[in-house]
């Protein structure tokens, strides 16, 4: 029975291939497929439903239903049995369709006389394209071999749809990758950009779906799998032990050596598929099963298997990541995700970045901010929708992507960019002027940095110094721990480039969302509240000492500012300060030149430090409020969680009152205080921070102009009165009152 079914399957595939080879229009091809499928399956009906938009399916071809229903019958996602298959991505197989859950009678199709129903999703690597249906008058459930045969037809339909074989009239038969698409995501780095798509990992397209010689296809598959195993073993041999990288590669090796995985692909070949099609069918099947899982571990393993399957497909097809194509003009990178090292290789050539995954605190986001490249994350479907070279417009301020935009969108978007450019010209005119408010208060505006490439912005932005230099980037982009002399040379170049302006070096801030590739990942239920930053440094003092020595040597007699991140209590600061004293003593003993002036500060990112004893504020030489972390801990709202991170306003009266208390404590002890974070670079927020007494702000270079422009137009005494009046009136946020004040400015 199995041999007969497999023979029938190969026969059906052969007929499908012949149909695809005919020089016929898209509609005619679809009609031919329904006819031959119904004939091969021995059913009275075969119908193809395709999506005309994200929520609507359309009957595009049928054998057995009323011909006049084609392109007229439509249903919403989840509506009827067809809509149920489309929504869930799962097969529906029933002997009595009218009594099945969700059945909806479509009078115009004439389907009331058919009892049996088998619906198969038409999907390609997780992207839903439509539904393939067979029906018969006889009341019976379809057997496994029949289901497999229809799955093969659905796979062929998906691949041919991707290749544009069914283009015709109407929305459901429109050519793919040609229509304008609006996609929404989340902002990870603000800014706007226009350019052309560059796929970091171009899709593998399978063009030969049918295998005429199963033995030859098996041999091709086995050879490719062996090459894959060798490449994974080589990657493992070159990896550092006890790292997250090793764990991922071990998962790769487990899948690559899985007998079940190989057996299922060989069975696909025996039933008529080519080696490439067998791999992709197994990939799609596993994706359909595992994508329904709620277990984060299983979903991570799906990503591993996806990566491995793509590697295998590239071996079989010869379609490598390096396609030979040149970067397009004004490239905008599109990827599922990307590491910091890979992103740095592209550097400033990129105009923008669009990721399907990612997070606001990811390594990629850190590098994108350092390079001032607009970044939008969580943009679902972008890899399936985009082709290399497609025109794309990215609005990092709103988290919106316009792919292949129409003329109206292009005009509006370019108008917005022109207005931004005009504003930048206005900001350039005040670049060398101080941020002096109308009431005579001077606010110091510093910039954040993390790469040597950032330092030219010191002059071009008008920043007075570097309020935060992130030292972890040099650790994140390497495959092994950097050496002390390498770090000392880098830090010396940073100080050279600053030309005497103050640079505050934040010591290594790793853990949470910033895991070094050569350190063992910690399995923590809540990494943001776990073993990170100064906690790692104090528990692993060797790394901290090495970095402190590198900083002291880099200064070479010049002033040096060092700041410890994520200090939660006075004791942590004193322990870290003791390490500085040890490093100074050692450098002095070695005869190295010490800084002419050394200031040691702490980053206030936890509410607990705001209530530290007075002695802490008397001893610490400066404090910088780390607004991003402090805000998420204050409101108990994870900044990586899109459901809650925008729920709470920085200008909430409770948060501003809390910041005012910190200002008061620092004022009482004469401790220099600054605010560092995304909110410092937002003009309205920056104005309110200045009004409550924060007279030093550190932000990305591009924000300095807009912030300075607004500060120079305002009287902080007036703004403070507006804030206090709104609070006294019981308002939850002072934002409406401040915006009303700003609208009244001349």
């Amino acid at each position: 029975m199995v041999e007969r079914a497999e023979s029938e399957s190969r026969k059906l595939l052969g007929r499908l291939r012949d149909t695809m080879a005919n020089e016929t229009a898209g509609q005619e091809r679809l009609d031919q497929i329904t006819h031959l499928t119904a004939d091969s399956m021995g059913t009275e009906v075969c119908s193809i439903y395709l999506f005309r938009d994200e929520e609507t399916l359309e009957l595009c071809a049928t054998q057995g239903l009323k011909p006049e229903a084609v392109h007229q019958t439509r249903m919403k996602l989840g509506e009827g049995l067809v809509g149920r298959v489309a929504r869930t991505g799962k097969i529906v197989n029933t002997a009595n369709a009218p009594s099945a859950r969700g059945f909806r009678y479509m009078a115009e199709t004439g389907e009331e006389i058919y009892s049996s129903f088998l619906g198969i999703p038409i999907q390609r690597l997780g992207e839903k394209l439509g539904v393939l249906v067979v029906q018969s008058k006889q009341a019976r459930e379809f057997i496994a071999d029949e289901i497999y045969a229809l799955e093969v037809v659905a796979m062929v339909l998906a691949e041919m749809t991707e290749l544009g074989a069914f283009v015709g009239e109407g929305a459901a038969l429109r050519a793919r990758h040609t229509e304008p698409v609006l996609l929404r995501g989340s902002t990870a780095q603000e800014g706007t950009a226009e350019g052309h798509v560059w796929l970091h990992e171009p899709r593998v397209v399978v063009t030969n779906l049918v295998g005429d010689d199963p033995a030859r296809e098996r041999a091709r598959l086995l050879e490719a799998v062996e090459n894959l195993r060798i490449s994974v073993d080589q990657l493992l041999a070159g990896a550092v032990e006890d790292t997250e990288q090793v764990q991922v590669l071990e998962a790769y090796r487990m899948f690559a050596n899985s007998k079940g995985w190989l057996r299922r692909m060989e069975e696909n070949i025996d039933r008529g598929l080519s080696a490439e099609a067998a791999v992709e069918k197994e990939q799609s099947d596993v994706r359909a099963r595992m994508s329904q899982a709620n277990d984060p571990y299983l979903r991570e393993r799906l990503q591993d298997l996806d990566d491995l399957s793509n590697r295998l497909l590239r071996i079989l097809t010869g379609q490598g990541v390096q396609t030979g194509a040149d970067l397009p003009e004004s490239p905008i990178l599109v990827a599922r995700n990307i590491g910091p090292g890979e992103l740095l290789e592209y550097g400033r050539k990129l105009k923008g970045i669009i990721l399907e995954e990612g997070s606001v605190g990811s390594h990629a986001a850190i590098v994108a901010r350092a390079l001032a490249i607009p970044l939008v994350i969580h943009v679902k479907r972008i890899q399936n929708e985009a082709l290399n070279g497609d025109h794309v417009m990215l609005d990092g301020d709103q988290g919106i992507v316009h792919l292949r935009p129409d003329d109206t969108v292009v005009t509006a978007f370019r108008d917005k960019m022109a207005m931004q450019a005009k504003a930048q010209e206005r900001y350039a005119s005040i670049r060398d002027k101080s941020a002096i408010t109308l009431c005579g208060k001077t606010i110091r505006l510093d910039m954040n940095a993390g790469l040597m490439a950032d330092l030219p912005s010191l002059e071009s932005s008008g920043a007075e110094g570097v309020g935060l230099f992130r030292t972890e980037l040099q650790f994140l982009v390497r495959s092994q721990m950097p050496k002390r002399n390498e770090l000392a040379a880098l830090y010396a170049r940073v100080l050279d480039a600053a030309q005497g302006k103050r640079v505050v070096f934040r010591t290594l801030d790793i853990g949470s969302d910033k895991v070094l590739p050569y350190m063992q990942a910690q399995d923590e239920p809540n990494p943001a509240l776990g073993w990170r930053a100064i906690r790692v440094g104090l528990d692993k003092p060797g790394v901290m000492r090495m970095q402190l020595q590198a900083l002291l040597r880099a200064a070479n007699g010049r002033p040096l500012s060092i700041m410890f991140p994520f200090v939660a209590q006075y004791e942590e600061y004193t322990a870290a300060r003791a390490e500085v004293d040890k490093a100074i003593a050692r450098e002095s003993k070695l005869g190295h030149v010490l800084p002419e002036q050394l200031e040691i500060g702490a980053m206030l990112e936890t509410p607990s430090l705001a209530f530290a004893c007075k002695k802490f504020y008397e001893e610490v030489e400066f404090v910088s409020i780390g607004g991003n972390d402090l805000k998420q801990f204050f409101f108990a709202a994870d900044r990586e969680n899109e459901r809650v991170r925008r729920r709470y306003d920085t200008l909430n009266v409770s948060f501003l009152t809390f910041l005012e208390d910190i200002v008061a404590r620092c004022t009482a002890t004469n401790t220099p205080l600054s605010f560092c974070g995304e909110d410092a670079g937002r003009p309205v927020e920056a104005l309110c921070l200045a009004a409550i007494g924060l007279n030093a702000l550190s932000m990305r270079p591009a924000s300095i102009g807009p912030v300075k422009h607004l500060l120079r137009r305002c009287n902080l005494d007036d703004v403070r009165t507006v804030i206090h009046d709104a609070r006294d009136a019981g308002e939850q946020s002072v934002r409406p009152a401040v915006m009303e004040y700003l609208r009244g400015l001349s």
Side-chain angles (χ1 to χ4, degrees):
M1 174 66 184
V2 172
E3 289 183 1
R4 188 200 68 77
E6 290 171 352
S7 174
E8 289 298 320
S9 177
R10 285 199 295 273
K11 188 185 299 182
L12 175 57
L13 276 171
R15 294 174 70 185
L16 281 171
R17 181 182 57 191
D18 294 341
T19 298
M20 293 301 100
N22 292 337
E23 293 293 328
T24 53
Q27 183 64 58
E28 189 175 346
R29 276 180 172 163
L30 281 175
D31 293 341
Q32 290 174 353
I33 289 172
T34 59
H35 295 168
L36 72 88
T37 302
D39 181 56
S40 296
M41 297 283 292
T43 60
E44 290 93 347
V45 175
C46 176
S47 304
I48 297 171
Y49 297 82
L50 298 176
F51 279 103
R52 59 179 284 115
D53 57 48
E54 289 185 30
E55 297 293 327
T56 312
L57 287 154
E58 182 176 300
L59 176 63
C60 290
T62 187
Q63 166 69 27
L65 299 183
K66 293 180 180 179
E68 57 268 27
V70 173
H71 297 305
Q72 300 302 314
T73 295
R74 294 169 189 166
M75 60 195 71
K76 292 295 182 183
L77 195 64
E79 183 180 7
L81 296 185
V82 174
R84 177 174 143 197
V85 173
R87 180 175 56 80
T88 64
K90 295 180 179 179
I91 295 169
V92 171
N93 180 13
T94 176
N96 188 351
S99 65
R101 176 174 58 86
F103 176 80
R104 184 191 168 210
Y105 171 53
M106 299 285 197
E108 70 274 17
T109 66
E111 64 178 342
E112 69 274 9
I113 61 175
Y114 303 109
S115 181
S116 300
F117 177 98
L118 174 59
I120 303 284
I122 302 171
Q123 53 191 0
R124 184 178 186 273
L125 302 182
E127 183 186 12
K128 296 175 180 178
L129 302 172
V131 178
L132 175 63
V133 174
V134 291
Q135 296 170 271
S136 64
K137 295 178 182 177
Q138 179 186 357
R140 68 182 182 92
E141 286 194 0
F142 292 87
I143 63 174
D145 289 322
E146 293 173 313
I147 293 172
Y148 183 91
L150 205 62
E151 284 181 321
V152 168
V153 177
M155 180 182 177
V156 171
L157 285 167
E159 289 295 334
M160 293 301 104
T161 299
E162 175 72 15
L163 294 170
F166 306 123
V167 176
E169 293 185 12
L173 297 186
R174 66 187 181 280
R176 287 173 58 75
H177 311 301
T178 58
E179 297 288 319
V181 181
L182 169 64
L183 299 168
R184 297 185 183 276
S186 304
T187 297
Q189 167 64 15
E190 296 164 343
T192 55
E194 177 181 7
H196 299 88
V197 167
W198 177 254
L199 292 170
H200 181 58
E201 291 186 343
R203 286 191 305 278
V204 176
V205 180
V206 177
T207 55
N208 58 320
L209 295 164
V210 183
D212 293 322
D213 184 349
R216 177 175 175 275
E217 295 302 315
R218 270 174 168 260
R220 290 181 61 230
L221 176 66
L222 290 173
E223 181 182 1
V225 168
E226 183 59 27
N227 288 337
L228 177 67
R229 288 170 177 167
I230 291 171
S231 69
V232 172
D233 287 343
Q234 289 173 339
L235 287 171
L236 261 169
V240 181
E241 293 185 1
D242 296 325
T243 66
E244 185 181 24
Q245 180 186 12
V246 169
Q247 293 172 6
V248 171
L249 291 173
E250 287 287 5
Y252 277 14
R253 183 155 67 179
M254 179 188 71
F255 282 127
N257 288 281
S258 167
K259 293 180 180 179
W261 185 51
L262 181 59
R263 185 190 70 251
R264 289 190 296 273
M265 292 188 291
E266 288 179 324
E267 289 173 353
N268 288 333
I269 288 174
D270 291 341
R271 288 177 161 175
L273 294 180
S274 67
E276 295 93 324
V279 173
E280 189 164 285
K281 185 176 189 309
E282 171 63 10
Q283 184 181 7
S284 290
D285 290 348
V286 173
R287 178 182 268 272
R289 291 196 304 271
M290 293 179 68
S291 62
Q292 305 294 323
N294 293 322
D295 187 339
Y297 176 82
L298 288 179
R299 295 182 72 85
E300 285 180 19
R301 297 289 73 80
L302 170 60
Q303 182 173 318
D304 292 340
L305 186 58
D306 258 351
D307 288 341
L308 201 66
S309 298
N310 288 334
R311 285 173 183 259
L312 187 55
L313 283 170
R314 293 189 194 285
I315 293 171
L316 284 165
T317 63
Q319 299 174 34
V321 174
Q322 301 299 328
T323 62
D326 294 326
L327 274 175
E329 182 182 354
S330 300
I332 291 182
L333 183 77
V334 171
R336 183 180 67 197
N337 221 331
I338 189 170
E342 295 171 303
L343 191 50
L344 282 170
E345 287 180 12
Y346 285 108
R348 295 186 185 274
K349 290 180 289 188
L350 299 177
K351 297 298 182 184
I353 306 166
I354 306 168
L355 300 179
E356 285 205 4
E357 298 176 358
S359 67
V360 294
S362 68
H363 305 163
I366 293 167
V367 174
R369 290 187 198 113
L371 297 174
I373 300 173
L375 168 62
V376 179
I377 58 175
H378 303 149
V379 184
K380 302 303 181 188
R381 299 177 23 242
I382 183 65
Q383 285 195 115
N384 287 328
E385 290 285 358
L387 294 179
N388 267 340
D390 275 348
H391 184 201
V392 62
M393 290 177 152
L394 179 160
D395 188 339
D397 302 327
Q398 303 295 322
I400 292 174
V401 173
H402 298 281
L403 184 63
R404 299 181 293 271
D406 59 30
D407 291 344
T408 304
V409 171
V410 169
T411 300
F413 197 91
R414 286 178 178 168
D415 285 346
K416 177 177 179 177
M417 292 182 71
M419 289 175 63
Q420 290 177 337
K422 190 172 181 180
Q424 287 299 328
E425 291 177 9
R426 186 167 64 248
Y427 305 145
S429 68
I430 59 172
R431 181 184 60 197
D432 299 325
K433 298 179 180 179
S434 297
I436 302 175
T437 65
L438 294 181
C439 56
K441 183 80 169 181
T442 299
I443 307 299
R444 180 185 174 92
L445 302 182
D446 289 327
M447 60 171 265
N448 299 331
L451 298 167
M452 276 300 300
D454 294 326
L455 273 298
S457 296
L458 254 177
E459 183 178 351
S460 61
S461 68
E464 296 177 58
V466 178
L468 168 67
F469 189 90
R470 304 180 184 91
T471 60
E472 58 271 10
L473 288 179
Q474 288 71 44
F475 290 78
L476 288 169
V477 298
R478 294 169 181 254
S479 59
Q480 60 185 8
M481 184 76 73
K483 293 181 172 57
R484 180 175 51 198
N485 60 345
E486 294 173 336
L487 291 177
L490 171 70
Y491 300 152
R493 291 199 300 274
V494 171
L495 290 170
D496 291 342
Q499 298 181 349
K501 291 184 177 180
R502 180 175 182 254
V503 178
V504 177
F505 290 94
R506 183 179 69 186
T507 58
L508 190 58
D509 185 3
I510 57 170
S512 183
D513 52 0
K514 298 189 282 291
V515 180
L516 301 184
Y518 42 85
M519 287 184 69
Q520 185 171 7
Q522 302 299 309
D523 184 15
E524 297 182 292
N526 193 338
L529 296 175
W531 196 58
R532 54 176 291 200
I534 197 171
R535 298 169 180 175
V536 178
L538 293 176
D539 290 350
K540 299 283 186 182
V543 178
M544 178 187 282
R545 290 168 190 163
M546 182 267 287
Q547 188 178 28
L548 291 173
Q549 290 162 9
L551 286 164
L552 291 169
R553 293 180 188 183
N556 194 28
R558 292 174 287 191
L560 179 64
S561 299
I562 299 174
M563 177 168 64
F564 291 107
F566 207 63
V567 178
Q569 58 184 3
Y570 174 43
E571 181 184 27
E572 289 172 337
Y573 173 75
T574 57
R577 181 67 200 240
E579 291 296 337
V580 176
D581 293 338
K582 291 176 188 176
I584 291 173
R586 185 176 187 276
E587 292 301 294
S588 179
K589 187 175 181 179
L590 293 172
H592 294 152
V593 179
L594 298 177
E596 67 177 21
Q597 179 184 342
L598 178 64
E599 55 176 356
I600 308 298
M603 206 156 196
L604 196 160
E605 300 170 271
T606 62
S608 63
L609 194 62
F611 300 100
C613 61
K614 183 179 179 183
K615 194 171 182 182
F616 163 73
Y617 287 97
E618 290 173 339
E619 288 188 12
V620 72
E621 285 157 311
F622 66 93
V623 171
S624 178
I625 294 173
N628 296 342
D629 264 334
L630 184 62
K631 182 178 170 184
Q632 75 166 340
F633 298 141
F634 183 84
F635 288 113
D638 184 356
R639 65 192 181 106
E640 303 291 346
N641 187 332
E642 290 302 313
R643 292 184 176 179
V644 299
R645 79 182 188 99
R646 294 184 182 277
R647 189 184 187 98
Y648 301 100
D649 189 358
T650 305
L651 302 187
N652 182 292
V653 293
S654 60
F655 189 55
L656 288 181
T657 301
F658 179 56
L659 294 180
E660 280 187 312
D661 290 343
I662 298 171
V663 171
R665 297 206 70 184
C666 288
T667 301
T669 54
N670 201 29
T671 306
L673 176 66
S674 64
F675 186 101
C676 174
E678 294 173 11
D679 289 319
R682 297 187 172 112
V684 176
E685 282 84 340
L687 175 65
C688 293
L689 293 173
I692 64 171
L694 283 152
N695 52 24
L697 307 173
S698 190
M699 63 202 73
R700 65 188 183 106
S703 297
I704 290 177
V707 168
K708 184 185 292 186
H709 175 71
L710 183 59
L711 288 172
R712 288 173 57 88
R713 297 174 57 223
C714 294
N715 184 314
L716 295 185
D717 295 332
D718 293 343
V719 178
R720 189 179 307 110
T721 298
V722 170
I723 291 172
H724 290 170
D725 287 348
R727 180 170 58 195
D728 293 343
E731 299 293 337
Q732 177 172 293
S733 170
V734 305
R735 188 178 299 277
V738 172
M739 294 304 296
E740 183 65 28
Y741 162 80
L742 292 175
R743 282 190 286 270
L745 294 179
S746 56

